[in-house]
Amino acid sequence: MKKNGLSKVEIFFFIAQTQIGIGILSLPNTIQNSAGSDGWISVLLAGVLLQLILFLYWLLLKRFPTLSYPQITTKLVGKYVGTLLNVVFYLYFILTASLVLLILVKLLKEWLLYVTPYWVIILLILLTCFYLAASRLHIVARFFVLISILLFGLIGLSLLSFTLPMDLGNIFPLGETGLKNILIGTHESIFLSFYGFEAVLFLYPYAIHKEGKFLKTISLSNMFVTGITTYFVFICILIFNEELLSQVQYPVVYFLRALQFQILDRVDLVFISLWIVPMMMSVVTYLFLASKCLPLNENNHTRIISFNSVLLFLLTVFAGKDDASIEMYSTIVQYISYGVLFCVPLILLILSYLRKETSEEA
């Protein structure tokens, strides 16, 4: 297990790369409609709430250190109910991957590949994602660590925004929108920009360092993602006023478009080109996790990834590409996630304590 196990660094960036995807680009616009200038506070609260969820995940996982999450499910609720829940998890991962891919393709179509057909963009992305997702977990995790340098490059590019006019008064008075609206913004932050934290449920058996060290690693990863997300929301609020921020769909990209330098004319296009990588990594993770929800032999891993990729291609190609369709799709995935990400793990945790079960009793 240690040879192919995951180190703390690999787990850290596996979770971070999965979470930092398409949502962060449009989050400042979405959260503006509810939390207004207090959107950055909503993101911080979302990070705190997510930390509580991760703690509950950890309480469940450490009771079954050698079992995968689908095995925990069948152990606690029985073979038939557990298999049904695992199929629901499988469908959730496929639908979420389709949603992420759909938003990514739409962004590329609008900003870079104006005349390229949708199906061509989708096919090229999926071929790349398939190649990586078909690998072993430790290979995927090490690749995530390798490309993590791009995240810091993207943050470096965003620092150029401080050459633009900013108004610190845009964030004042603090709490002006009220607690209710801030909490609504917190809800939107979790379901738009923090998707991917559920990967924690599948990583524990592969972790070299378990117990408290695992909790510390996933907590630091959560702090890292929360910090980056809050940073981008904060600078968008400083650059745009409330009226403009509510009208610009991708504020993070849009403010970079205003930057022009003698050796670099379109900073926004460079940013998007680099940002494609972490967005694709979210698709890779969901393809991989979906394969782990089905009771298949390890030798069939490539075959099921192939099936998942074809299914994902068909879903994305035939899905509506307009804003209304994507919003409806996102709402459906969000409602499913309530049960998959919160209710089921909590019920499993309660059952594990009531029945006093751990993997050692298996």
Side-chain angles (χ1 to χ4, degrees), residues 1-6 65-66 138 142 203-208 210:
M1 176 64 74
K2 288 197 174 184
K3 179 181 178 182
N4 295 330
L6 301 182
T66 61
H138 67 281
R142 288 168 189 173
L203 298 180
Y204 197 82
Y206 302 93
I208 297 175
K210 301 183 186 292

Side-chain angles (χ1 to χ4, degrees), residues 147-192:
I147 64 170
S148 62
I149 190 172
L150 292 178
L151 292 178
F152 299 101
L154 290 166
I155 295 173
L157 274 179
S158 69
L159 293 176
L160 298 175
S161 64
F162 287 94
T163 62
L164 298 172
M166 293 186 177
D167 186 0
L168 192 59
N170 288 346
I171 66 170
F172 294 107
L174 296 178
E176 180 184 22
T177 56
L179 180 60
K180 178 182 177 180
N181 290 325
I182 291 176
L183 292 178
I184 293 174
T186 299
H187 171 270
E188 293 174 340
S189 298
I190 290 179
F191 288 102
L192 183 62

Side-chain angles (χ1 to χ4, degrees), residues 90 93-102 122 125-126 129 283-284 286-287 305-319 329:
Y90 171 81
F93 286 134
I94 293 296
L95 289 174
T96 305
S98 177
L99 176 62
V100 173
L101 183 57
L102 191 61
I122 296 170
I125 292 174
L126 277 179
C129 292
V283 178
V284 170
Y286 287 121
L287 276 175
I305 290 293
S306 301
F307 175 80
N308 293 344
S309 300
V310 172
L311 180 58
L312 190 54
F313 176 79
L314 294 175
L315 282 173
T316 312
V317 166
F318 291 106
Y329 199 173

Side-chain angles (χ1 to χ4, degrees), residues 160 163 259-267:
L160 298 175
T163 62
L259 296 173
Q260 291 186 350
F261 301 94
Q262 189 172 2
I263 61 173
L264 188 60
D265 185 44
R266 292 293 301 274
V267 180

